[in-house]
C-alpha cells in the first residue's frame, strides 16, 4: 500500500495573486488521487546548492484530474521559493507527497481559521467539510484567496492595518461578528495558534492546528521537525512528535506551543 | 554482463555491495522502505541509540547552507529497549546487514548498549564518538587519542559483534585518532561525522539553530571527507567506511578509490529517497564502463 510518491510534476499555470504570493497549479500522476486536506508536498529546487525540500501545503486537490493547487509566499531573494516563482506552464518540478496526516473531517459546527500564509490549506478543508462552517481569515494588509473562500462558505476577515474587515486579528474578527462554533481548525503563525489554543480552552471547544517546523527528510526519518507533546509519543518514546509524520495537524491539547 | 562482483568484506561481514546508509539520516529504514528496497542495500546503519531514551535538542534542528546542511538533532532516540523490540525485528525482514550506531554520555552508557546488543541479531556496531551536538560525551571521546583508545578497548572487551569506531573530522589530525582506535583493537573505522558549523539569520539577528552550532553535512564537505579517508587509509590497516557528502555513484567511487571499503550515504536521502539504490546502480554502470570485474580492484587504488 504505497501512500507517498516521488514525481516530476508538470506546471499547468502560475500567477502572482498578491505581493510575493504565488498561485501554482501542477499536474501529478498519483499524488493528487491520494491526497487529503491539510497534507503537504516536499518541493525540490533545481539549484543544486539548495539541498532541502520546501514543504508546501495543499490548497486545492482535484483527485479526478490529478491536479494540485499550491499557494505560497516567496520569502526573499535567492531562495527556493523565488526559484519556484519563476516557473511557467510546461515546466517540471520534482515533488514528494502527499505527506503528513491532514485534517480529520468532523461534523461539528466549525471555524476554519487561517493566518497569513496559513490561509491556503484551509481552502481544501472548507470544500470538504460537510457541516456548518465559517472561514475566519487573518491578513497583515493585502487580501488574497478571499473570493475562493466566499464561494464555499461564509467568510469573515481581519487585517492588522484595518484596510479590510475587522481591524486586528482572527479572534477580534470572531468577536466582532459574534460568531460561535464547536470546533476550530487552524493554520498560521505560532502566536496565532497559541492564542487559539487558549481561546478554545476558555470556550470549551475542540481545536486542531497545523504546525510548522524546519524539515529535512519530510517523511519521519531524520527527527528534525519535532514538536513538544504532553504525552510520550508512541514512536519516538519521548515527549516529541514528528510534524512531518504524526502532524502537521495536531489536537492543540496534545502539543506545547 | 552479470559477472561483475560488487560484494565487499568488512572484517568478516560480507556485504552484497559497499553502499550503506549513514546513521541518523535513514531512521531504521521504516520510512524509506516505501521508496527503496532495503534488501538491495549493503547494510542499513541505524540512528544513534543510547541506553535510555533521549529527548534531543530544541528546534529548529536543521538549517540549509550553501551546498550542505547543518543539523543539531541532539541524538534524540527511543532508547535501546524499544530499539531492540521494534527496529531490529523490522530490519530482519530484509536481506541486508544491520549496523547499530551507538551513542552515550559516559563510557558506562556505551557499554550498557553494547552489552544489551550482544545477544541481538545485528551484524556490527558503529560507535559514535563524534557527535558534535550533545553537550557531554559524544565528541569529547573522539577528540583526544587517549580517550579514543580507552573507550575503544573498553567496548572491545565486551562486544560480541565487530566494532566500527566513527571518527570526528573536528580534530587537528584525524590519523592520530585512527591510530589510537586501531591500537585499542577496533575492527573497522568510519569517517567522517559532521563538521561543526554555524548559521546566523541576518534578518532576525539570531542563530538559525536553537543549539547555535550544528554538524555540517552534504556535498560541500565531500572533498574534506575524501582527503581524510585517504589520509587514514595511509595511516592504518583497518578497513574503512567512507562518508561525507556522497550524492552520486561518482562521489561513492571517489571515496572507494581514496581507500574506503564501503560507503555511507546520508544527506543524499533527504534530496532523493531513492539515492542509495541509484548509487548502487551507478557503481555497477561505472564498473561495466571501465571493465572492473571486482569492486575490490578499486579500493584504495589511487595512491
Ligand atoms: C507543513 C508545512 C506546510 C507549509 N505550507 C506552506 C504553504 O502552503 N505556503 C507557503 O508559502 N509556505 C508554507 N510553508 C512554509 C514554507 O515551507 C517555507 O516558507 C519555505 O520552505 C521557505 O523556503 P525558501 O526557499 O523561501 O527559503 P530559504 O531561506 O531558501 O530556505 C532555507 C531552508 O529553510 C527552510 N525554511 C525556511 N522557512 C521555513 C518555514 N517557515 N517553515 C519550514 N521550513 C522553512 C526551507 O525549507 C529550506 O530548507 C509550510 C511549512 C510547513 C512545515
Ligand atoms: C540529520 C542527521 C542526523 C545524524 N545523526 C547521526 C547519528 O545519530 N549518529 C552518527 O554517528 N552520525 C549521525 N549523523 C552523521 C552522518 O551519519 C554522516 O556522518 C554525516 O552526515 C556525513 O555524511 P553525509 O554528508 O552523506 O550526510 C547525522 C547526520 C545528519 C544530517
Ligand atoms: S523532516 Fe525528517 S522527521 Fe520530519
Amino acid at each position: 500500500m504505497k501512500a507517498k510518491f516521488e514525481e516530476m510534476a508538470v506546471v499547468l499555470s502560475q500567477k502572482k495573486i498578491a505581493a510575493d504570493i504565488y498561485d501554482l497549479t501542477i499536474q501529478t500522476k498519483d499524488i493528487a488521487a491520494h491526497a487529503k486536506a491539510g497534507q503537504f508536498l516536499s518541493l525540490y529546487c533545481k539549484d543544486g546548492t539548495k539541498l532541502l525540500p520546501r514543504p508546501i501545503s495543499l490548497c486545492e486537490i482535484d483527485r479526478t484530474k490529478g491536479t494540485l493547487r499550491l499557494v505560497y509566499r516567496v520569502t526573499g531573494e535567492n531562495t527556493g521559493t523565488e526559484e519556484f516563482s519563476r516557473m511557467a506552464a510546461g515546466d517540471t518540478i520534482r515533488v514528494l507527497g502527499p505527506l503528513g496526516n491532514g485534517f480529520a473531517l468532523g461534523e461539528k459546527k466549525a471555524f476554519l481559521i487561517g493566518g497569513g500564509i496559513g490561509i491556503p490549506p484551509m481552502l481544501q478543508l472548507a470544500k470538504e467539510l460537510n457541516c456548518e462552517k465559517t472561514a475566519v481569515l487573518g491578513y497583515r494588509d493585502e487580501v488574497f484567496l478571499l473570493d475562493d473562500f466566499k464561494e464555499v462558505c461564509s467568510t469573515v476577515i481581519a487585517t492588522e492595518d484595518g484596510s479590510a474587515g475587522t481591524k486586528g486579528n482572527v479572534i477580534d474578527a470572531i468577536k466582532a461578528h459574534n460568531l460561535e462554533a464547536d470546533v476550530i481548525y487552524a493554520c498560521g503563525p505560532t502566536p496565532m495558534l497559541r492564542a487559539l489554543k487558549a481561546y478554545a480552552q476558555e470556550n470549551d471547544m475542540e481545536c486542531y492546528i497545523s504546525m510548522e517546523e524546519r524539515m529535512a527528510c519530510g517523511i519521519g526519518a531524520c527527527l528534525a521537525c519535532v514538536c513538544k507533546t504532553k504525552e510520550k509519543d508512541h514512536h519516538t518514546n519521548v515527549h516529541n512528535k514528528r510534524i512531518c509524520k504524526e502532524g502537521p495537524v495536531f489536537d492543540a491539547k496534545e502539543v506545547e506551543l | 554482463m552479470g559477472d561483475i562482483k560488487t560484494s565487499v568484506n568488512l572484517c568478516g561481514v560480507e556485504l552484497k555491495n559497499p553502499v550503506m546508509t549513514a546513521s541518523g539520516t535513514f531512521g531504521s529504514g521504516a520510512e524509506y522502505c516505501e521508496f527503496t528496497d532495503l534488501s538491495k542495500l549493503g547494510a542499513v546503519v541505524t540512528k544513534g541509540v543510547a541506553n535510555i531514551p533521549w529527548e534531543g535538542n530544541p528546534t529548529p534542528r536543521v538549517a540549509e547552507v550553501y551546498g550542505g546542511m547543518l543539523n543539531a538533532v541532539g541524538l534524540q532516540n527511543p532508547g535501546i529497549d524499544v530499539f531492540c523490540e521494534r527496529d531490529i525485528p523490522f530490519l530482519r525482514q530484509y536481506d541486508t546487514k544491520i549496523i547499530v550506531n551507538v551513542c552515550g554520555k559516559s563510557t558506562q552508557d556505551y557499554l550498557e548498549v553494547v552489552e544489551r546488543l550482544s545477544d541481538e541479531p545485528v551484524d556490527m556496531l558503529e560507535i559514535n564518538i563524534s557527535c558534535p551536538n550533545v553537550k557531554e560525551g559524544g565528541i569529547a571521546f573522539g577528540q583526544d587519542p587517549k580517550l579514543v583508545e580507552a573507550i575503544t578497548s573498553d567496548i572491545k572487551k565486551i562486544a560480541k559483534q565487530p566494532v566500527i569506531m566513527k571518527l570526528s573530522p573536528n580534530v587537528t589530525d584525524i590519523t592520530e585518532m585512527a591510530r589510537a582506535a586501531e591500537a585499542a583493537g577496533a575492527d573497522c573505522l568510519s569517517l567522517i561525522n559532521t563538521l561543526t558549523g554555524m548559521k546566523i539569520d541576518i534578518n532576525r539577528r539570531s542563530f538559525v539553530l536553537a543549539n547555535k552550532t550544528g554538524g555540517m553535512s552534504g556535498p560541500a564537505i565531500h572533498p574534506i571527507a575524501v582527503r581524510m579517508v585517504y589520509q587514514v587509509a595511509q595511516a592504518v590497516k583497518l578497513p574503512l567506511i567512507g562518508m561525507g557528502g556522497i550524492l552520486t555513484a561518482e562521489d561513492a567511487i571517489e571515496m572507494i578509490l581514496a581507500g574506503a571499503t564501503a560507503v555511507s550515504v546520508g544527506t543524499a536521502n533527504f534530496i532523493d529517497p531513492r539515492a542509495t539504490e541509484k548509487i548502487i546502480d551507478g557503481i555497477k554502470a561505472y564498473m561495466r564502463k571501465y571493465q572492473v570485474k571486482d569492486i575490490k580492484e578499486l579500493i584504495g587504488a589511487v595512491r
Side-chain angles (χ1 to χ4, degrees):
Chain A
M1 33 136 258
K2 217 170 141 56
K4 302 185 197 83
F5 306 87
E6 188 219 359
E7 297 182 6
M8 283 305 278
V10 181
V11 174
L12 295 179
S13 66
Q14 170 149 265
K15 57 178 186 291
K16 190 172 178 175
I17 56 170
D20 298 325
I21 309 284
Y22 288 77
D23 181 348
L24 170 70
T25 301
I26 56 172
Q27 178 71 51
T28 68
K29 208 166 127 283
D30 295 305
I31 298 174
H34 291 79
K36 295 200 297 185
Q39 289 189 301
F40 67 95
L41 295 184
S42 273
L43 273 63
Y44 298 90
C45 301
K46 291 202 170 67
D47 175 348
T49 67
K50 295 187 169 64
L51 304 177
L52 299 179
R54 273 56 179 165
I56 302 289
S57 299
L58 306 177
C59 172
E60 275 194 81
I61 305 165
D62 188 328
R63 298 186 183 91
T64 26
K65 286 192 197 142
T67 61
L68 294 171
R69 182 182 186 191
L70 311 174
V71 171
Y72 63 93
R73 168 175 286 147
V74 172
T75 64
E77 274 174 54
N78 299 315
T79 59
T81 47
E82 189 197 45
E83 179 191 305
F84 302 152
S85 74
R86 288 195 299 268
M87 297 190 302
D91 288 346
T92 56
I93 177 164
R94 201 157 63 82
V95 298
L96 178 67
L99 304 176
N101 59 350
F103 288 102
L105 302 179
E107 276 158 13
K108 293 188 187 151
K109 188 173 173 187
F111 284 150
L112 286 76
I113 304 180
I117 203 61
I119 290 171
M122 306 317 290
L123 183 58
Q124 179 64 25
L125 182 66
K127 286 173 62 185
E128 288 187 23
L129 269 183
N130 192 10
C131 62
E132 232 185 298
K133 60 201 167 188
T134 307
V136 185
L137 311 178
Y139 301 89
R140 183 165 304 149
D141 40 41
E142 199 180 358
V143 170
F144 56 89
L145 289 180
L146 183 55
D147 293 337
D148 296 82
F149 276 92
K150 282 184 172 164
E151 262 179 46
V152 286
C153 65
S154 73
T155 306
V156 300
I157 67 168
T159 50
E160 279 172 30
D161 65 355
S163 57
T166 307
K167 181 172 162 60
N169 61 32
V170 288
I171 295 179
D172 297 326
I174 292 172
K175 289 181 178 158
H177 292 89
N178 272 320
L179 299 172
E180 272 178 23
D182 302 316
V183 53
I184 292 175
Y185 301 97
C187 182
T190 307
M192 180 190 102
L193 299 180
R194 211 176 277 137
L196 289 175
K197 178 179 172 167
Y199 179 83
Q201 216 158 10
E202 284 158 23
N203 294 281
D204 205 17
M205 301 166 79
E206 286 174 46
C207 183
Y208 300 94
I209 55 175
S210 180
M211 302 203 17
E212 208 180 89
E213 189 46 79
R214 283 173 191 257
M215 298 185 172
C217 70
I219 59 173
C222 73
L223 305 178
C225 68
V226 299
C227 61
K228 286 268 157 231
T229 55
K230 229 173 86 199
E231 307 291 330
K232 202 184 261 187
D233 174 56
H234 171 71
H235 175 86
T236 64
N237 201 26
V238 292
H239 294 80
N240 280 339
K241 279 188 191 293
R242 300 166 293 181
I243 291 177
C244 70
K245 182 93 177 178
E246 283 80 30
V249 181
F250 293 99
D251 183 335
K253 287 200 290 287
E254 278 179 29
V255 292
E256 281 174 31
L257 283 166
Chain B
M1 222 178 97
D3 58 341
I4 56 170
K5 218 177 145 238
T6 57
S7 64
V8 294
N9 188 299
L10 267 186
C11 35
V13 179
E14 187 83 2
L15 310 183
K16 64 179 71 166
N17 64 61
V19 179
M20 52 178 79
T21 60
S23 175
T25 62
F26 208 75
S28 288
E31 291 80 20
Y32 278 98
C33 67
E34 217 177 304
F35 303 98
T36 288
D37 179 1
L38 304 186
S39 295
K40 288 194 177 155
L41 305 180
V44 170
V45 184
T46 57
K47 169 77 187 165
V49 62
N51 55 336
I52 54 166
W54 288 10
E55 301 265 341
N57 286 328
T59 57
R61 290 177 169 184
V62 290
E64 189 179 70
V65 295
Y66 201 83
M69 64 175 283
L70 302 177
N71 92 81
V73 171
L75 293 170
Q76 179 185 326
N77 76 87
I80 188 67
D81 290 334
V82 166
F83 180 83
C84 290
E85 280 156 35
R86 180 185 62 200
D87 297 23
I88 296 175
F90 167 79
L91 281 169
R92 280 271 67 111
Q93 299 170 274
Y94 297 91
D95 178 22
T96 189
K97 300 296 176 197
I98 304 175
I99 301 180
V100 180
N101 184 280
V102 178
C103 59
K105 289 177 176 147
S106 66
T107 304
Q108 194 50 39
D109 290 358
Y110 284 97
L111 294 178
E112 268 179 43
V113 181
V114 170
E115 176 121 59
R116 178 77 173 74
L117 286 167
S118 59
D119 298 326
E120 293 288 337
V122 302
D123 298 286
M124 300 178 91
L125 309 179
E126 180 179 61
I127 311 300
N128 179 7
I129 50 165
S130 47
C131 180
N133 301 325
V134 291
K135 298 268 172 302
E136 330 134 53
I139 196 164
F141 287 102
Q143 288 179 324
D144 178 339
K146 285 199 191 68
L147 293 179
V148 172
E149 203 168 325
I151 192 161
T152 306
S153 69
D154 285 346
I155 287 171
K156 272 302 291 176
K157 271 179 215 137
I158 63 161
K160 294 284 190 312
Q161 295 92 350
V163 171
I164 305 160
M165 297 305 287
K166 183 162 177 178
L167 303 181
S168 170
N170 300 306
V171 293
T172 312
D173 180 2
I174 197 165
T175 63
E176 228 190 310
M177 309 301 151
R179 284 197 198 91
E182 182 177 53
D187 300 289
C188 179
L189 303 176
S190 64
L191 65 160
I192 59 176
N193 207 317
T194 52
L195 289 140
T196 309
M198 179 181 278
K199 184 169 172 68
I200 291 172
D201 181 331
I202 61 161
N203 299 310
R204 295 198 180 131
R205 300 193 189 171
S206 64
F207 304 100
V208 174
L209 297 175
N211 190 51
K212 295 186 187 173
T213 59
M216 182 162 168
S217 62
I221 72 166
H222 185 65
I224 300 170
V226 172
R227 182 265 293 177
M228 288 189 165
V229 165
Y230 176 80
Q231 284 181 320
V232 171
Q234 311 311 307
V236 299
K237 294 200 174 59
L238 300 177
L240 306 180
I241 303 169
M243 72 192 91
I246 296 177
L247 288 195
T248 63
E250 289 74 17
D251 300 334
I253 290 159
E254 218 182 315
M255 203 67 99
I256 293 168
L257 290 171
T261 298
V263 295
S264 284
V265 177
T267 301
N269 295 302
F270 305 152
I271 308 168
D272 181 349
R274 287 204 306 269
T276 42
E277 248 186 271
K278 289 181 184 169
I279 290 170
I280 294 166
D281 292 343
I283 290 175
K284 289 179 186 160
Y286 174 91
M287 290 173 68
R288 285 190 202 103
K289 180 175 169 195
Y290 289 98
Q291 297 179 335
V292 179
K293 288 226 160 51
D294 188 334
I295 194 151
K296 294 185 191 76
E297 293 166 34
L298 299 176
I299 300 169
V302 174
R303 296 181 152 257

